[in-house]
Amino acid sequence: MIAGPALRVSARALRDNLTTLRERLTPAVLLMVEKDDAYGHGVAWATPLAARHGVGWFGSHDITTAVRVRAAAGPAPRVLSWATSGDDEIAAALTHGIDIGVGTMEYFRRVRALSRRTGHRARVHAKIDTGLHRNGLLAAEWADGIAEMLEAERSGDVRLVGVWSHIAEAGDAEDDAAAARFRRAVARARGMGARLEVTHLTASAASLARPELRGGLCRIGAFCYGIRAAGAPLEPGLTLVATLRAPVVAVDRHEATVGIGAWHGLPTTLGGIVDVGTPAGPRRLTAIGDDTLTVEAWPGCHAGDTVDVWGPGARGESDPTTLAESIDTIGEELATRLSPHVTRVAVD
Ligand SMILES: *Cc1c(COP(=O)(O)O)cnc(C)c1O
């Protein structure tokens, strides 16, 4: 019987990445993004490790994940969730002390109402739309919105603790314009009397490449896990945390078939050159099926051998971003779409 595919997650690599990121970001503070089950690595594994390593802020899109992060992190760290959510989820967030990102006044009013009803005062981060048009108060509604939030704060219903936005990381000029809109919104809120604990704008790529755009917090997902941005090498000091190790399930003279578990509908047309790691070193990936890969065979290759589909490079394999680029998606997609049936194995 051949063991199935496994995602091997390295505690040392995660800790080293967190050390590197915290050093690079200082004096800004790292907020570790853990949406999609910590980018497929497992919230229950990644969170306690990061919390013990001193990470004091975590974030997730959805509240369900944020509640799991809270359970794994303990009561001390801040946890932020930014998806516009239903009332039951908002109530759960408040009960578990989760900060809430709000991007519309309709959502803010629901959060305020639930704060009153549950008796747990919400900590709110107000989002300004800096040009992406994906959620966020428009500049024209900002002053009225902040005024309403500050009035709610005076009534004891909520605390306005942060102002934030998301930039496209699309190019310097566009990002500069977004950052300028962001700074105006922050200044306006402060001028109106907001006592903000934090401001945050940038994710992985811009946080490192454009330090001048950072707020006090940097929301970092991909780089914590060593997943590089498309079209760029990984920053020095970061390494890939996960290795996807899968068994050879069949061999013919020229090719080995590797069982990877389901990809959940990712493209299967391979448009670039990707190497995987084999016991004999790097070998070319030649085809992607629904739940298998086909790889050039190597001398002595047999069923039960293992192939590292991606990993930190020890056997010559590529990283998930390289594979993603060859099928026209991004590295995070591969990590997060990996079937939950793929065993997660924690290694040091
Ligand atoms: C996913 C996400 C991030 C993290 O992005 P990375 O590029 O993975 O670092 C930051 N902020 C928001 C709002 C996100 O949704």
Side-chain angles (χ1 to χ4, degrees):
M1 167 115 182
I2 295 172
L7 190 74
R8 299 165 64 84
V9 289
S10 161
R12 184 175 320 179
L14 179 61
R15 279 195 301 264
D16 287 352
N17 288 350
L18 295 173
T19 301
T20 298
L21 287 166
R22 289 169 62 191
E23 281 169 3
R24 289 281 306 272
L25 297 175
T26 301
V29 169
L30 169 70
L31 179 154
M32 179 175 174
V33 177
E34 295 204 273
K35 64 189 180 201
D36 297 311
D37 200 24
Y39 290 53
H41 296 67
V43 160
W45 172 77
T47 311
L49 230 153
R52 272 199 305 276
H53 203 62
V55 173
W57 279 88
F58 294 92
S60 164
H61 183 73
D62 63 296
I63 288 174
T64 306
T65 301
V67 169
R68 292 181 54 223
V69 171
R70 168 62 74 213
R78 298 282 184 207
V79 182
L80 167 68
S81 173
W82 53 80
T84 302
S85 305
D87 287 1
D88 291 350
E89 284 179 297
I90 297 170
L94 297 177
T95 316
H96 290 93
I98 287 161
D99 287 18
I100 299 181
V102 302
T104 67
M105 290 313 291
E106 186 275 332
Y107 189 50
F108 172 75
R109 288 172 195 137
R110 285 199 285 126
V111 169
R112 179 182 188 176
L114 282 152
S115 275
R116 280 196 181 163
R117 197 178 311 156
T118 61
H120 294 282
R121 186 153 70 142
R123 290 169 46 88
V124 166
H125 300 234
K127 184 175 183 188
I128 175 81
D129 180 351
T130 48
L132 272 184
H133 305 303
R134 277 199 317 221
N135 194 255
L137 299 185
L138 300 172
E141 26 174 28
W142 184 247
D144 284 350
I146 293 296
E148 186 171 330
M149 292 182 202
L150 291 174
E151 182 271 308
E153 183 168 275
R154 283 191 297 275
S155 310
D157 294 338
V158 305
R159 266 281 293 133
L160 175 60
V161 296
V163 168
W164 70 292
S165 191
H166 199 46
I167 56 171
E169 305 189 336
D172 284 356
E174 225 172 284
D175 290 351
D176 284 342
R181 285 191 281 270
F182 183 68
R183 280 191 285 267
R184 277 198 295 276
V186 170
R188 188 78 200 266
R190 289 203 161 115
M192 293 174 69
R195 291 163 297 127
L196 304 176
E197 293 173 16
V198 287
T199 64
H200 42 110
L201 177 64
T202 51
S204 287
S207 291
L208 292 199
R210 304 287 316 275
E212 70 281 12
L213 302 190
R214 290 174 195 152
L217 279 181
C218 297
R219 301 185 309 268
I220 312 281
F223 285 5
C224 290
Y225 312 97
I227 299 172
R228 68 176 175 85
L234 192 57
E235 293 282 329
L238 300 179
T239 48
L240 202 56
V241 168
T243 301
L244 177 58
R245 182 162 293 179
V248 173
V249 292
V251 187
D252 72 15
R253 259 171 7 116
H254 301 292
E255 289 178 330
T257 302
V258 179
I260 50 166
W263 283 117
H264 293 316
L266 284 176
T268 54
T269 311
L270 192 56
I273 293 174
V274 181
D275 284 337
V276 297
T278 78
R283 286 294 183 280
R284 195 60 43 87
L285 177 63
T286 55
I288 302 179
D290 280 338
D291 58 2
T292 58
L293 301 178
T294 309
V295 174
E296 281 177 344
W298 53 94
C301 155
H302 63 277
D305 278 356
T306 60
V307 163
D308 290 349
V309 179
W310 67 67
R315 296 160 118 195
E317 66 276 24
S318 311
D319 62 275
T321 306
T322 304
L323 179 52
E325 283 169 343
S326 77
I327 58 172
D328 213 14
T329 179
I330 55 171
E332 294 90 315
E333 260 315 84
L334 292 187
T336 60
R337 293 240 204 152
L338 199 59
S339 165
H341 301 301
V342 172
T343 314
R344 267 60 175 179
V345 178
V347 298
D348 186 44

